Amino acid sequence: MLVIGIDPGTATTGFGLVRDTAQGLEVVDFGAILTPAGLSQEQRLVMLFDELSKILLLHRPESAAVEKLFFSRNVTTAITVGQARGVALLALAQNGLAVGEYTPMEIKQSVAGYGGADKNQVQQMVKALLNLESVPKPDDAADALAVAICHLHSYRLKHFIEEA
């Protein structure tokens, strides 16, 4: 199964495509969609939608996962991330994809084995799980790969439980 993981953001949205094979997890593609700071918020969201749609059309994933919004102290950041997240969900829905949503803690638990893992620990585990020579860059792409890995682990667990 090919899964796209998305780490949403208005300025930078990470994406990562991971395939589950008989030999283990395999990276298909990853990167980040960067929107120029000089664009209006509306233009940035259109650009994000268009670029995600191109990636979905190119790779045709079978499933998708998006990081849930983590609300901290900065309300403005939370709102813009929420807008980017909404655009990502729209692009995924328009492509007929079922979407899993995971909190940062669930992703860390699934990838690193500890919900309180720091960013470096998660990135090192992404590198190890995907047999990469180095940690994926930018950080948003590594985070998106972690989201995809979390979704695949969750999918495996659900099917294991259903078969038991």
Side-chain angles (χ1 to χ4, degrees), residues 81-137:
V81 170
Q83 290 172 338
R85 193 173 175 282
V87 166
L89 290 171
L90 174 62
L92 296 169
Q94 282 198 334
N95 282 273
L97 293 170
V99 179
E101 300 179 69
Y102 304 93
T103 65
M105 184 178 281
E106 289 171 322
I107 296 164
K108 292 173 182 180
Q109 176 69 42
S110 178
V111 174
Y114 171 56
D118 66 31
K119 194 170 210 52
N120 183 54
Q121 289 170 314
V122 173
Q123 290 175 347
Q124 291 300 325
M125 284 304 299
V126 166
K127 174 186 164 195
L129 290 168
L130 298 175
N131 296 313
L132 300 172
E133 291 183 16
S134 61
V135 171
K137 295 290 180 197

Side-chain angles (χ1 to χ4, degrees), residues 21-143:
T21 71
Q23 292 77 35
L25 300 178
E26 169 187 281
V27 175
V28 173
D29 193 11
F30 65 87
I33 300 166
L34 307 173
T35 61
L39 292 180
S40 69
Q41 182 69 2
E42 299 83 15
Q43 292 171 317
R44 285 177 134 182
L45 294 173
V46 167
M47 184 178 177
L48 174 58
F49 179 82
D50 290 345
E51 293 302 313
L52 272 177
S53 295
K54 288 176 190 174
I55 292 164
L56 295 170
L57 186 61
L58 175 65
H59 294 290
R60 303 217 182 262
E62 299 160 71
S63 191
V66 179
E67 185 172 355
K68 282 185 181 177
L69 182 59
F70 175 73
F71 181 76
S72 60
R73 293 186 180 108
N74 191 334
V75 175
T76 304
T77 300
I79 289 170
T80 60
V81 170
Q83 290 172 338
R85 193 173 175 282
V87 166
L89 290 171
L90 174 62
L92 296 169
Q94 282 198 334
N95 282 273
L97 293 170
V99 179
E101 300 179 69
Y102 304 93
T103 65
M105 184 178 281
E106 289 171 322
I107 296 164
K108 292 173 182 180
Q109 176 69 42
S110 178
V111 174
Y114 171 56
D118 66 31
K119 194 170 210 52
N120 183 54
Q121 289 170 314
V122 173
Q123 290 175 347
Q124 291 300 325
M125 284 304 299
V126 166
K127 174 186 164 195
L129 290 168
L130 298 175
N131 296 313
L132 300 172
E133 291 183 16
S134 61
V135 171
K137 295 290 180 197
D139 290 351
D140 306 272
D143 293 347

